[in-house]
Amino acid sequence: MTSTLSETETYSLLSLSLACFGVLFNTFWDGSGEPLIASIAFSSLAFAFCYALIRWLGNAFIRRGFKGKDLCKHKQTEIPETMGAICAMVYLFTLITFIPWPFYKDIVVATSGGGNRDVMKELEEVETGRFLHRFPHNKLASYLSALLSLQTVVLLGIGDDLFDIRWRHKVLIPAFAAIPMLIVYFVDFGVTQMVVPIPLRPYLGELFDLGWLYYVYMAMLSIFSSNSINILAGINGIEVAQSLVIAVLIVINDVLYLSPFTTYPHPATDSHLFSLYLLLPFIGVSLALLKHNWYPAKVFVGDTYCYFAGMVFAVDGILGHFSKTLILLLLPQGFNFVYSAPQLFHIVPCPRHRLPHFNARTGLLECSRVEFKRPLARPIAECLKLLHRLRMLDVETDAKGQVTSSSNLTLINLWLVWFGPMREDRLALGLLAFQTAIGFLGLLVRHRMALLIFTADNW
Amino acid sequence: MTSTLSETETYSLLSLSLACFGVLFNTFWDGSGEPLIASIAFSSLAFAFCYALIRWLGNAFIRRGFKGKDLCKHKQTEIPETMGAICAMVYLFTLITFIPWPFYKDIVVATSGGGNRDVMKELEEVETGRFLHRFPHNKLASYLSALLSLQTVVLLGIGDDLFDIRWRHKVLIPAFAAIPMLIVYFVDFGVTQMVVPIPLRPYLGELFDLGWLYYVYMAMLSIFSSNSINILAGINGIEVAQSLVIAVLIVINDVLYLSPFTTYPHPATDSHLFSLYLLLPFIGVSLALLKHNWYPAKVFVGDTYCYFAGMVFAVDGILGHFSKTLILLLLPQGFNFVYSAPQLFHIVPCPRHRLPHFNARTGLLECSRVEFKRPLARPIAECLKLLHRLRMLDVETDAKGQVTSSSNLTLINLWLVWFGPMREDRLALGLLAFQTAIGFLGLLVRHRMALLIFTADNW
């Protein structure tokens, strides 16, 4: 990868940045500025910075040992690894500088020193020309706790990329990173009740207080969201592109609550604005990374990116109060996890790499296989054969009916079992189309069928 | 360094931790707990964790290339570098888990969903058995912004230790890291007035609004605080020990405002409590690091520690509203910077290392010298000779009166010029005694002589 920008790139990024600075300047100084417009400008700026920084810093990363070889290519040159860290840093920096836009300025009129707010002026809501209101001050703590959690996941993710932490420890990284958010949630909001679905109401009542289990649920969601993205990985662009699809789907869901057709102010307006502010810059930096990570990849994203992306979704879903919708959007990742589980937990032998196999003659990817040197236990062998008959696996048997090999248990290999060998980018596109379709189905279920089990769709 | 704890160490740390957990459990569940007692327990826990982690992770750091040789020893084995990163991580984690103690829990009684606080209950101030009150909720944002700034400096510091950023860029790291704090200060408090000293009042009035210059001042303070600690470095233990001295002096200053002899509640009580909560855990982790970094050092601290320590002081001084006192306590560092400036800015030639010179025969440190191959410009040579006559430098001249060499311009070398060669730990102890003496003098000036130029000492 060259470490400089071409002339076209330089001028495009520069003009984009200048335009964004103009917009920001306007929205800031006339005071009537829309935080949402500022957020879009910030996201575009984040795209430009991230794009340039990936190019400029790639070689420094290689020199410091953050590098890897692409096993699915004819020519295996070394390319920079862990570029997700750059993404994440730009993202965090963007969210921090964005703070003055969505939050009111608390005006302290008099102080006796020592940080006291002796006389405070409430800002009257003179919000002329504004579609959407600003946040009250008590949301600032949530926002900052979200930033802290994201920054923690980046620190721990870099630690993982540096020290290659053991599998059973690294699974817990997102739970550690969620702690700042959970603690501030506890001090600041602390609502742990959930609405009970209609069929269960006779037993549990209308609201059920989960108590500390609610915090366990939130920690589990962080673990699931980050790690499920981390294991649906291995071909160029798939980590970033799937995250982008999920982010865009959440944005669509958010916009449903903010569109002119929705009553305003809606009880969930704030939550979904909050969600947008977190996601738009994420889309910005991810696009910049995807541009370099898409087939043929010029950089790798590293575990840092997967943790970071998963944590953005978890934070967004938890503080935006739509964690169940988030789970619907992560269904393909969930399926991949459940499907992989027999290998992850070593019920079926698991080779070191489960990437698709690159056929150097055709230039296409084929599903990779695991050979069973020792015969499998009978019930497991029968399960594999059943999956084969359901077209959910490709199993080979010898003359005696013994299972000798099967395709590896990942969604990526399953796709190749279904549709045959194909080029790496076609494979990624297929999986993304699948993710998108499931996502739209999820949103449909969320908004059309939720009424079957809840009394009101909060849209 | 062995990577395990001895039996004595294990049992001491374990019993310390258990005692602390007991205290925390008590202060949390009976509800009357003192945040200050909890803070002390947390700090001791932080000491125990940091101590154990430094031991356990040292070799992993060496394997990943974070290592260095000690130039001032007979046997130059490789020891782990950047252990300040462990310190900082433990510190941040401590401050995050501490949050529920000093802050009231906002009790949301009813919510219409979507994160709304439709009915809120103000917690009545039933604080029986408590010496000091808890913080109101609006301080949470400041606290979180402090954490964000500290975490940012750690991230950038690790980046520096990884990529060896150029000198003129790394100077700015603390300013970048200060941004979260400054932005939240802007949104959340925004007071930029300063009290004018009496002699200047006829010209400026009683209060002078610095406006955006106040933010520049805060950023400069962060840069000064971090970098001045970073350049008073090079011998075993000096970075950590000087930070500890400064921290303890600030704690003494804080305690002056909280002691039973002070009127309560005092306008500055909150600020100084806030400061204590930030500093006590810092003292905990720094002691654990000092134990390993003191002569003969078993680990190095890395630039990360210096940035982190400087940033803790800057954040503490700014959000605790005692930045001028902080500057008084940093006078030795300030002197070292001014004294070093001619070499830092290449007015006088600067060798690659300015560490004292280790005399292998005596085992003592001697002041290191810079040889002038080309004759110096006349005014510079005259200045050096003047400094020599004032006993502020050791200069050698040849027969013609030309300056041929001088001791390097650092406080550490100056100390050796004054008191002759000495062992590394004696040198460190001498400098620390100097730092302590100046610090106490500073506090005396602050509290006894401030009345000469201000109308009231806010103590």
Side-chain angles (χ1 to χ4, degrees):
Chain A
M1 189 176 69
T2 56
S3 62
T4 48
L5 297 168
S6 73
E7 205 164 293
T8 331
E9 283 172 329
T10 310
Y11 286 117
S12 324
L13 293 179
L14 255 182
S15 43
L16 176 65
S17 306
L18 283 176
C20 292
F21 276 120
V23 171
L24 289 181
F25 188 83
N26 266 328
T27 55
F28 190 73
W29 287 109
D30 68 0
S32 76
E34 282 292 333
L36 198 52
I37 291 173
S39 177
I40 293 169
F42 265 110
S43 308
S44 314
L45 266 180
F47 169 82
F49 273 90
C50 190
Y51 191 100
L53 281 174
I54 289 174
R55 204 60 78 75
W56 293 334
L57 298 180
N59 288 335
F61 272 65
I62 291 185
R63 276 197 300 277
R64 196 57 180 83
F66 295 101
K67 58 189 174 186
K69 281 184 182 160
D70 196 335
L71 299 176
C72 297
K73 298 286 178 305
H74 284 290
K75 239 174 77 181
Q76 295 179 11
T77 48
E78 283 188 330
I79 61 176
E81 173 66 278
T82 322
M83 299 310 269
I86 295 179
C87 248
M89 295 288 282
V90 173
Y91 174 80
L92 287 169
F93 201 75
T94 309
L95 284 200
I96 287 167
T97 37
F98 175 58
I99 290 175
W101 275 263
F103 293 99
Y104 283 120
K105 192 156 156 30
D106 248 17
I107 299 187
V108 180
V109 177
T111 166
S112 58
N116 291 295
R117 301 139 185 278
D118 296 324
V119 183
M120 291 265 298
K121 200 167 72 179
E122 281 286 313
L123 210 74
E124 304 106 62
E125 301 215 13
V126 265
E127 305 211 84
T128 45
R130 187 190 294 286
F131 291 122
L132 299 162
H133 61 275
R134 291 203 193 180
F135 288 154
H137 227 66
N138 57 25
K139 257 205 147 42
L140 184 57
S142 303
Y143 187 85
L144 293 173
S145 76
L147 287 180
L148 267 177
S149 275
L150 291 170
Q151 209 169 37
T152 309
V153 95
V154 173
L155 257 175
L156 294 176
I158 293 175
D160 176 29
D161 277 332
L162 267 174
F163 294 114
D164 261 330
I165 300 172
R166 253 171 273 167
W167 193 80
R168 63 172 178 277
H169 293 154
K170 66 200 263 182
V171 168
L172 294 176
I173 284 180
F176 272 99
I179 289 175
M181 175 178 62
L182 299 187
I183 286 188
V184 172
Y185 190 94
F186 170 74
V187 180
D188 193 44
F189 191 65
V191 176
T192 56
Q193 291 167 328
M194 55 171 266
V195 181
V196 177
I198 296 174
L200 296 177
R201 290 212 178 152
Y203 315 105
L204 299 173
E206 209 170 312
L207 288 172
F208 182 70
D209 193 355
L210 278 170
W212 58 269
L213 280 176
Y214 195 77
Y215 294 93
V216 175
Y217 164 68
M218 293 192 281
M220 298 289 282
L221 184 66
S222 312
I223 295 180
F224 169 67
S225 168
S226 299
N227 285 297
S228 65
I229 290 174
N230 204 7
I231 60 172
L232 184 52
I235 60 174
N236 288 177
I238 194 76
E239 299 93 342
V240 186
Q242 66 177 309
S243 305
L244 270 170
V245 169
I246 297 169
V248 169
L249 286 165
I250 304 179
V251 165
I252 292 174
N253 185 47
D254 290 335
V255 168
L256 286 179
Y257 289 84
L258 305 173
S259 70
F261 311 107
T262 319
T263 49
Y264 174 85
H266 180 281
T269 302
D270 270 8
S271 304
H272 289 279
L273 262 178
F274 192 90
S275 161
L276 274 184
Y277 297 156
L278 290 183
L279 285 177
L280 294 178
F282 176 75
I283 292 176
V285 294
S286 295
L287 278 176
L289 185 57
L290 185 63
K291 189 79 182 50
H292 293 90
N293 182 238
W294 187 251
Y295 177 87
K298 290 187 184 57
V299 305
F300 288 132
V301 299
D303 284 355
T304 310
Y305 181 81
C306 302
Y307 288 130
F308 162 64
M311 204 68 201
V312 169
F313 300 141
V315 163
D316 204 57
I318 291 169
L319 296 179
H321 301 273
F322 56 86
S323 56
K324 281 166 295 192
T325 312
L326 175 63
I327 293 174
L328 281 178
L329 296 179
L330 285 170
L331 278 183
Q333 281 72 20
F335 169 77
N336 183 52
F337 172 70
V338 173
Y339 185 64
S340 294
Q343 283 195 319
L344 293 181
F345 299 118
H346 293 281
I347 300 168
V348 172
C350 181
R352 217 175 109 63
H353 287 294
R354 304 192 298 164
L355 300 180
H357 170 252
F358 177 64
N359 185 329
R361 201 174 49 77
T362 59
L364 302 181
L365 294 188
E366 297 166 355
C367 78
S368 64
R369 308 187 66 83
V370 50
E371 310 282 333
F372 304 122
K373 307 241 158 63
R374 281 176 294 179
L376 293 173
R378 205 185 145 79
I380 296 170
E382 288 307 317
C383 287
L384 293 188
K385 282 186 199 167
L386 178 66
L387 283 175
H388 180 78
R389 248 166 294 158
L390 296 170
R391 295 210 6 94
M392 293 298 286
L393 197 65
D394 186 54
V395 165
E396 278 179 355
T397 48
D398 61 9
K400 285 183 284 178
Q402 289 276 23
V403 176
T404 54
S405 83
S406 93
S407 59
N408 275 311
L409 293 157
T410 68
L411 181 59
I412 297 178
N413 281 306
L414 182 59
W415 198 264
L416 290 168
V417 169
W418 284 343
F419 301 103
M422 59 179 86
R423 218 174 67 175
E424 198 170 353
D425 53 344
R426 290 285 306 257
L427 174 58
L429 281 175
L431 289 165
L432 293 173
F434 177 67
Q435 169 94 47
T436 313
I438 298 283
F440 273 111
L441 208 68
L443 288 186
L444 198 75
V445 168
R446 164 75 190 79
H447 290 291
R448 287 282 160 262
M449 298 183 200
L451 290 176
L452 299 181
I453 53 166
F454 290 106
T455 44
D457 179 1
N458 75 351
W459 174 22
Chain B
M1 189 177 70
T2 56
S3 64
T4 49
L5 297 168
S6 74
E7 204 164 294
T8 331
E9 283 173 329
T10 311
Y11 286 117
S12 324
L13 293 179
L14 254 182
S15 43
L16 177 65
S17 306
L18 282 177
C20 293
F21 276 121
V23 171
L24 289 180
F25 187 83
N26 266 328
T27 54
F28 190 74
W29 286 111
D30 68 1
S32 76
E34 283 292 330
L36 197 52
I37 292 174
S39 178
I40 294 169
F42 265 110
S43 307
S44 314
L45 266 180
F47 169 81
F49 273 91
C50 191
Y51 192 100
L53 281 174
I54 288 174
R55 204 61 77 74
W56 292 333
L57 297 180
N59 289 334
F61 272 64
I62 291 185
R63 276 197 300 278
R64 197 58 180 80
F66 294 101
K67 57 189 175 188
K69 280 184 184 161
D70 195 336
L71 299 176
C72 298
K73 297 289 178 304
H74 284 289
K75 239 176 77 184
Q76 294 180 8
T77 48
E78 283 188 328
I79 61 175
E81 174 65 279
T82 321
M83 299 310 270
I86 295 179
C87 249
M89 295 288 282
V90 173
Y91 174 81
L92 287 169
F93 200 74
T94 309
L95 284 199
I96 286 167
T97 37
F98 176 58
I99 289 174
W101 276 264
F103 292 99
Y104 283 120
K105 192 157 157 31
D106 250 16
I107 298 186
V108 180
V109 177
T111 167
S112 58
N116 292 294
R117 299 138 186 277
D118 296 324
V119 183
M120 292 264 296
K121 201 166 71 178
E122 281 285 313
L123 208 74
E124 304 106 62
E125 301 214 14
V126 265
E127 305 212 82
T128 44
R130 189 191 294 286
F131 291 120
L132 299 162
H133 61 274
R134 292 202 193 181
F135 288 153
H137 227 65
N138 57 25
K139 256 203 148 41
L140 184 56
S142 303
Y143 187 85
L144 293 173
S145 76
L147 287 181
L148 266 178
S149 274
L150 291 170
Q151 208 168 41
T152 309
V153 95
V154 174
L155 257 175
L156 294 176
I158 292 176
D160 176 28
D161 277 332
L162 268 174
F163 294 114
D164 261 329
I165 300 171
R166 252 170 275 168
W167 192 80
R168 62 172 179 277
H169 293 154
K170 67 200 260 184
V171 168
L172 294 176
I173 285 180
F176 273 99
I179 289 175
M181 175 178 59
L182 299 187
I183 287 188
V184 172
Y185 190 93
F186 170 74
V187 179
D188 192 44
F189 191 63
V191 176
T192 56
Q193 290 166 331
M194 54 171 266
V195 181
V196 177
I198 296 173
L200 297 176
R201 291 215 178 150
Y203 315 105
L204 297 173
E206 208 171 312
L207 287 172
F208 181 71
D209 193 355
L210 278 170
W212 60 268
L213 279 176
Y214 195 78
Y215 294 92
V216 175
Y217 163 68
M218 293 193 281
M220 299 289 282
L221 185 66
S222 313
I223 295 180
F224 169 67
S225 168
S226 300
N227 286 295
S228 66
I229 290 176
N230 205 7
I231 61 172
L232 184 50
I235 60 173
N236 288 176
I238 194 74
E239 298 93 341
V240 186
Q242 67 177 310
S243 306
L244 269 170
V245 169
I246 297 168
V248 169
L249 285 165
I250 304 179
V251 165
I252 292 173
N253 185 47
D254 290 335
V255 169
L256 286 179
Y257 290 86
L258 304 173
S259 71
F261 311 106
T262 319
T263 49
Y264 174 85
H266 180 282
T269 302
D270 271 8
S271 305
H272 288 279
L273 263 178
F274 192 90
S275 160
L276 275 184
Y277 296 156
L278 289 183
L279 284 178
L280 294 178
F282 176 77
I283 292 177
V285 294
S286 294
L287 279 175
L289 185 58
L290 185 64
K291 189 79 181 49
H292 293 90
N293 181 238
W294 187 252
Y295 177 88
K298 292 186 184 57
V299 305
F300 287 133
V301 300
D303 285 354
T304 310
Y305 181 82
C306 302
Y307 287 131
F308 161 64
M311 204 66 202
V312 169
F313 300 140
V315 162
D316 203 55
I318 291 169
L319 296 179
H321 302 272
F322 56 87
S323 56
K324 280 166 296 191
T325 312
L326 175 63
I327 294 174
L328 281 178
L329 297 178
L330 285 170
L331 277 184
Q333 281 70 23
F335 168 77
N336 183 52
F337 171 72
V338 173
Y339 185 64
S340 294
Q343 284 196 319
L344 293 182
F345 300 116
H346 293 281
I347 299 167
V348 172
C350 182
R352 217 178 108 64
H353 287 292
R354 304 190 299 163
L355 300 180
H357 171 249
F358 177 64
N359 185 329
R361 200 175 48 76
T362 59
L364 302 181
L365 294 188
E366 297 166 355
C367 77
S368 63
R369 308 188 65 83
V370 51
E371 311 283 333
F372 304 122
K373 308 239 158 66
R374 280 174 295 179
L376 293 173
R378 204 183 144 80
I380 296 170
E382 289 306 317
C383 287
L384 293 187
K385 281 185 198 168
L386 178 66
L387 282 174
H388 179 78
R389 249 166 294 157
L390 296 170
R391 293 202 19 86
M392 293 297 286
L393 197 66
D394 187 55
V395 165
E396 278 178 356
T397 49
D398 61 10
K400 285 183 284 179
Q402 288 278 21
V403 176
T404 55
S405 81
S406 93
S407 58
N408 275 311
L409 293 158
T410 68
L411 181 58
I412 297 178
N413 282 305
L414 183 58
W415 199 262
L416 291 168
V417 169
W418 283 344
F419 300 102
M422 59 179 86
R423 216 174 67 175
E424 196 168 355
D425 52 344
R426 291 285 305 258
L427 174 57
L429 282 174
L431 288 165
L432 293 173
F434 177 66
Q435 169 93 48
T436 313
I438 298 282
F440 273 112
L441 209 68
L443 288 186
L444 198 74
V445 168
R446 164 75 189 77
H447 290 290
R448 287 283 159 262
M449 299 183 198
L451 290 176
L452 299 181
I453 53 165
F454 290 107
T455 44
D457 177 1
N458 75 354
W459 173 22

